[in-house]
Amino acid sequence: MSNSRIWILTLFTMLVAGLNFPLGKISLSYGSTFVLLGIRFVGAGLLMLPFIWGRPHPRSAASWLKLAVIGLFQSTLVMGLNYLSMRTISSGSASILSSSNPIWFIVFSFLLFKTRYRSMQWAGVVIGFAGVAMTQGFAVEMQSGFWLSLGAGMAWGMATLLTSRWGKEFDTWVMAAYQMLIGGVILFILGPFVEHSSLIWDAANPFKELFVLGWMILISSIAQFVAWYYVLSNSDPNKANVYLFLIPLFGVLSGWLILKEPLHWYTMAGAVIIGIGIYLVNRPAGERSRAVSVAKGA
């Protein structure tokens, strides 16, 4: 796939991920977190089954286990912790903390696979994360939700790392479908132990609920995951990963448009800083300073 198409798919994924915050905020009024997310992922997985039936499936128990682990981190932990965190912190703070993903990606890559990174890449990640914080005026709320959302960022970093290393073993559509299906089932199982399970149907305004639910299943789940997994499997995950810094920016802008949330000057300033971080991470390395992976394979 050409670089321009990779870039378009990456930008699409970041835009959808940003829109997920205000729409997710709306969806929370329709039921408990794990029930809504379970419906989202199981529904998306089941809808995809007819389309992936004839595509290559995993043939070994080890491969199915890898899919289950990806589903646990990507669909269950990332989304479950993120949505739970918004009980006590704002969606803006949740987007900042969960977007620490690239930092955790590099940390886990270094610790687990001994991957070496250039100092410029480390600097770009730190500057990019500073830009993310800047988009919210550095106002991060230190409550229980802080740790839940930070945990979501860690889980997202691990999910991205595992997907980048294992993803080439799977058909993109098959991986997206089964990881969501498995993650959704785990959410349904854990739901009663975490919160009071509930689902509210507003008969007076069903179209709004159907739109939000349809967006969560078709766009936020199927389209977003397929596009992101394709990007990770067909490009440098280190470079693709840094674009996750755009998620809070898109989240703030979509919150302003959809929920009429205030838009501040420091959001635009943060966008400039994010751009600098992205440039540093994607800046070509010289012959003496290329990132070298010591451990190859899964």
Side-chain angles (χ1 to χ4, degrees):
M1 178 175 280
S2 66
N3 290 334
S4 61
R5 291 184 180 179
I6 286 288
W7 184 85
I8 290 173
L9 285 177
T10 302
L11 187 62
F12 166 78
T13 305
M14 300 305 101
L15 178 60
V16 171
L19 285 168
N20 288 342
F21 282 95
L23 292 176
K25 192 82 169 179
I26 294 173
S27 72
L28 290 175
S29 63
Y30 302 147
S32 57
T33 302
F34 279 39
V35 168
L36 289 169
L37 290 174
I39 292 174
R40 167 183 170 178
F41 291 126
V42 171
L46 291 176
L47 282 177
M48 291 183 69
L49 285 182
F51 300 97
I52 67 171
W53 199 252
R55 303 178 80 94
H57 278 54
R59 296 182 177 275
S60 67
S63 293
W64 282 107
L65 180 59
K66 289 179 180 179
L67 272 183
V69 172
I70 292 174
L72 172 65
F73 279 99
Q74 184 69 67
S75 294
T76 303
L77 293 178
V78 173
M79 300 309 301
L81 292 174
N82 241 341
Y83 274 60
L84 285 175
S85 73
M86 287 190 285
R87 289 176 171 177
T88 57
I89 65 174
S90 68
S91 61
S93 293
S95 67
I96 291 174
L97 294 167
S98 62
S99 293
S100 62
N101 166 8
I103 294 177
W104 298 114
F105 177 90
I106 286 181
V107 170
F108 292 146
S109 295
F110 175 75
L111 293 177
L112 298 178
F113 301 109
K114 308 302 180 184
T115 305
R116 296 176 183 173
Y117 293 93
R118 292 176 288 118
S119 58
M120 189 66 69
Q121 288 178 294
W122 285 100
V125 169
V126 173
I127 291 172
F129 188 57
V132 170
M134 185 76 175
T135 63
Q136 295 294 312
F138 297 97
V140 178
E141 303 155 26
M142 292 289 291
Q143 301 182 38
S144 61
F146 173 92
W147 303 108
L148 290 171
S149 195
L150 188 63
M154 296 174 69
W156 201 348
M158 180 60 74
T160 304
L161 174 60
L162 296 178
T163 300
S164 67
R165 301 187 72 87
W166 295 343
K168 294 186 184 299
E169 298 180 25
F170 307 105
D171 176 269
T172 301
W173 286 77
V174 170
M175 178 170 60
Y178 283 113
Q179 75 85 13
M180 287 190 292
L181 192 57
I182 293 170
V185 170
I186 297 175
L187 283 164
F188 275 131
I189 294 173
L190 294 179
F193 298 98
V194 177
E195 58 185 353
H196 175 69
S197 299
S198 64
L199 186 63
I200 303 171
W201 179 257
D202 184 7
N205 191 18
F207 296 106
K208 184 178 180 180
E209 293 187 23
L210 289 173
F211 172 79
V212 173
L213 187 59
W215 175 275
M216 291 173 64
I217 293 175
L218 298 176
I219 307 300
S220 297
S221 299
I222 297 177
Q224 180 184 351
F225 276 117
V226 169
W228 183 234
Y229 286 154
Y230 200 99
V231 168
L232 291 180
S233 298
N234 293 273
S235 66
D236 182 353
N238 300 315
K239 294 182 177 181
N241 212 19
V242 77
Y243 284 95
L244 291 163
F245 285 132
L246 291 172
I247 294 177
L249 176 62
F250 288 143
V252 170
L253 292 176
S254 58
W256 171 63
L257 291 171
I258 298 173
L259 300 179
K260 308 302 180 184
E261 295 176 346
L263 183 62
H264 303 287
W265 66 267
Y266 45 75
T267 300
M268 298 298 102
V272 175
I273 297 175
I274 290 170
I276 294 173
I278 290 174
Y279 169 75
L280 292 177
V281 171
N282 287 279
R283 184 179 179 181
E287 292 184 1
R288 296 183 303 156
S289 59
R290 292 189 182 278
V292 178
S293 175
V294 176
K296 298 289 186 178

